[in-house]
Amino acid sequence: MKIDILAGGSSGNAIAIKSGDAAILIDCGIAKTKIEKRLLEVGIKPNEIKAILITHAHSDHVKGLPIANKYKIPVFAAENEWKSIKGVDEELRWSFSSGNDFNVEDFFIESFKTHHDAFDPVGYAITDYESNEKVSICLDTGKVDEAMMKVMEHSTYYIIESNHEPNMVEVSDYPNSVKARILSHIGHLSNEQTSKALSGLVDHHTKKIYLTHLSSKNNMPALAEMTVKRELSKYGLICDLNYKLEVIS
Ligand SMILES: [Zn+2]
Ligand SMILES: [Zn+2]
């Protein structure tokens, strides 16, 4: 399994997972031409993409979806999330009940409900039958619950948002309504929430953690990294010895 984070952050999110000659994209939140360029850079041809999986319909996750029509790529999203996804050709729309599993080529895909202000937001755990490696993708969510942990456990790779530092949100110049939304249970994960979730997930299966979707205003890469490393070290898990860590910013 080969993982390439094509973009991560509030300005756009897109992740490519490749196995053999097949690839899938998770989210498509940068402009179509930018996606094409980034795919080329990581050695993936658009016609190798067998599916695009959407976490939820906020523009930083779906902006580049016109790429699906251009290359006739099937798009998967949870049933009710389709209410707010526009511009995908009828024959390319696939839906599933959030929490259900399905297969795309050599990938086994599990979905789990997340807690975010969208109709039917989900995260994914994707197992590649060829390598038997599993990657869990947990983006925009205000909290991580037991059901999510259960689906994600024993992953080889974790791609998880580490969005903000609550103190930085509090003192930011954001309107109070936006501050409240970010900090709510249907907003985004703080560095501490992310590190707590990871401390319940990282085990001997884990090879690498990617911290992503960092707020450019309310977080700092070094702070996100330090918070996670410090929490995991309490459990005897040492970076570069027990797991690798990369902050996408
Ligand atoms: Zn969102
Ligand atoms: Zn987002």
Short mmCIF file of all heavy atoms in Angstrom, two decimals, residues 13 56 60-61 140 188 213, ligand 2:
data_model
loop_
_atom_site.label_atom_id
_atom_site.label_comp_id
_atom_site.label_asym_id
_atom_site.label_seq_id
_atom_site.Cartn_x
_atom_site.Cartn_y
_atom_site.Cartn_z
N ASN A 13 -8.39 19.06 1.00
CA ASN A 13 -7.95 17.73 1.44
C ASN A 13 -8.13 16.71 0.33
O ASN A 13 -9.21 16.64 -0.28
CB ASN A 13 -8.77 17.30 2.66
CG ASN A 13 -8.53 18.22 3.83
OD1 ASN A 13 -7.58 18.08 4.57
ND2 ASN A 13 -9.38 19.24 3.96
N HIS A 56 -17.28 14.00 3.61
CA HIS A 56 -18.46 14.86 3.74
C HIS A 56 -18.36 15.99 2.73
O HIS A 56 -17.30 16.18 2.12
CB HIS A 56 -18.59 15.39 5.17
CG HIS A 56 -17.49 16.31 5.60
ND1 HIS A 56 -16.18 15.90 5.72
CD2 HIS A 56 -17.50 17.63 5.91
CE1 HIS A 56 -15.43 16.92 6.10
NE2 HIS A 56 -16.20 17.99 6.22
N ASP A 60 -13.84 22.09 1.23
CA ASP A 60 -12.43 21.68 1.33
C ASP A 60 -12.26 20.16 1.16
O ASP A 60 -11.14 19.64 1.24
CB ASP A 60 -11.78 22.18 2.64
CG ASP A 60 -12.48 21.70 3.90
OD1 ASP A 60 -13.72 21.70 3.93
OD2 ASP A 60 -11.78 21.31 4.87
N HIS A 61 -13.37 19.44 0.91
CA HIS A 61 -13.31 17.99 0.68
C HIS A 61 -13.89 17.57 -0.68
O HIS A 61 -13.71 16.43 -1.10
CB HIS A 61 -14.04 17.24 1.81
CG HIS A 61 -13.40 17.50 3.14
ND1 HIS A 61 -12.52 16.63 3.73
CD2 HIS A 61 -13.48 18.57 3.97
CE1 HIS A 61 -12.08 17.14 4.87
NE2 HIS A 61 -12.65 18.33 5.03
N ASP A 140 -12.49 15.57 9.57
CA ASP A 140 -13.33 16.47 10.37
C ASP A 140 -14.30 15.74 11.31
O ASP A 140 -15.26 15.12 10.87
CB ASP A 140 -14.14 17.39 9.45
CG ASP A 140 -13.27 18.05 8.38
OD1 ASP A 140 -12.22 17.51 8.07
OD2 ASP A 140 -13.68 19.11 7.88
N HIS A 188 -14.15 20.14 15.17
CA HIS A 188 -12.87 19.53 14.78
C HIS A 188 -12.10 19.03 16.01
O HIS A 188 -12.32 19.51 17.12
CB HIS A 188 -12.02 20.57 14.06
CG HIS A 188 -12.54 20.93 12.70
ND1 HIS A 188 -12.24 20.19 11.58
CD2 HIS A 188 -13.35 21.94 12.28
CE1 HIS A 188 -12.83 20.74 10.52
NE2 HIS A 188 -13.51 21.80 10.92
N HIS A 213 -5.04 18.22 8.31
CA HIS A 213 -6.12 19.20 8.52
C HIS A 213 -5.81 20.14 9.69
O HIS A 213 -6.68 20.48 10.49
CB HIS A 213 -7.46 18.47 8.75
CG HIS A 213 -8.65 19.23 8.21
ND1 HIS A 213 -8.91 20.53 8.55
CD2 HIS A 213 -9.64 18.86 7.36
CE1 HIS A 213 -10.01 20.93 7.94
NE2 HIS A 213 -10.48 19.95 7.19
ZN ZN B 2 -12.46 20.00 6.38
#
